[in-house]
Amino acid sequence: MKKVIVYDCDGVLFDSSLAVKAYYDHVFEKFELSMPDWSDPKTFELAMMSTNSEIIGHFCKDEKKFNAIMEFATKLNFRMFLDKMIPAAGVFEALEKLKSEGHKMAVCTNRGVSIDPLLKHFKMYDYFDRLVCSFDVVRPKPHPEGLNKIAEHFSVHKRNMLFLGDSEADYKAAKGANMPFLSFGSSLHESIRIDNHMEVFKHLT
């Protein structure tokens, strides 16, 4: 039985594509950077799968401006974009059932400080026993450091854990941590795919 269920945030707990686009459009316009081309799949993938500093560093090579943007972005109130976040299908029902059955739950995300207010806004925060964001690790996903931290926190063998992710970075992190993995809403290599959170209960044994 899987005792600890670990979730990625963007693309798993939420469809955050509209919010992420609006966030970076706002930041880039403020600093007069060339606006991201959201019709380019590589740009969209970069924005969804990378850390804030990786994304901004990709578009801004000037160190002084980069530092100014990072300071602004860190202080930017993400709440102004919360109305564009969409909880994934079946997520509340699944979290409630997992909690009632005694499972521990955690989040491993490349998001930064916005993860706490996001989960609190949607009344998800209290379901989770441990949150690991990009500020909590030296090496974010695809490195397994975040997943390893969660395993250490719960003092549980990784075979008794399950990580739900939607990206190549999530897949590689799970592989690196030697942790069972479900692919949510996408087909990643040999991984089992689910498209609704209630399907997780088929994979807990």
Side-chain angles (χ1 to χ4, degrees), residues 7 11 27 45 49 70 78 91-92 99 112 128 136 167 170 175:
Y7 291 88
V27 172
E45 182 179 2
M49 309 306 175
M70 284 302 300
F78 190 78
V91 66
F92 287 105
K99 184 177 181 179
F128 297 104
D136 298 317
S167 70
D170 294 328
K175 283 291 185 183

Side-chain angles (χ1 to χ4, degrees), residues 64-178:
K64 185 176 181 180
K65 179 176 277 192
F66 170 82
N67 290 334
I69 296 172
M70 284 302 300
E71 182 178 1
F72 172 80
T74 300
K75 295 177 180 178
L76 184 61
N77 191 342
F78 190 78
R79 288 180 177 86
M80 63 192 293
F81 307 104
L82 289 179
D83 64 328
K84 299 183 183 299
M85 299 289 289
I86 304 170
V91 66
F92 287 105
E93 296 89 339
L95 294 175
E96 187 63 37
K97 186 175 180 181
L98 286 166
K99 184 177 181 179
S100 70
E101 292 182 357
H103 297 278
K104 298 295 184 181
M105 289 174 280
V107 174
C108 183
T109 177
N110 279 355
R111 270 186 180 269
V113 295
S114 63
I115 186 63
D116 281 37
L118 170 60
L119 295 178
K120 288 176 180 176
H121 177 82
F122 284 95
K123 295 181 171 53
M124 283 190 197
Y125 186 86
D126 290 339
Y127 286 110
F128 297 104
D129 305 282
R130 183 75 166 94
L131 304 178
V132 173
C133 73
S134 62
F135 285 11
D136 298 317
V137 296
V138 176
R139 296 154 298 187
K141 296 179 295 184
H143 196 279
E145 181 182 348
L147 294 177
N148 290 335
K149 277 183 175 288
I150 292 170
E152 291 167 6
H153 173 80
F154 290 108
S155 299
V156 63
H157 196 286
K158 291 172 187 173
R159 66 172 174 266
N160 293 323
M161 301 177 69
L162 182 64
F163 179 39
L164 276 69
D166 70 312
S167 70
E168 190 74 20
D170 294 328
Y171 172 84
K172 289 180 177 178
K175 283 291 185 183
N178 196 27

Side-chain angles (χ1 to χ4, degrees), residues 21 36-44:
K21 290 176 184 178
D37 178 9
W38 297 119
S39 65
D40 182 350
K42 291 184 178 179
T43 299
F44 180 72

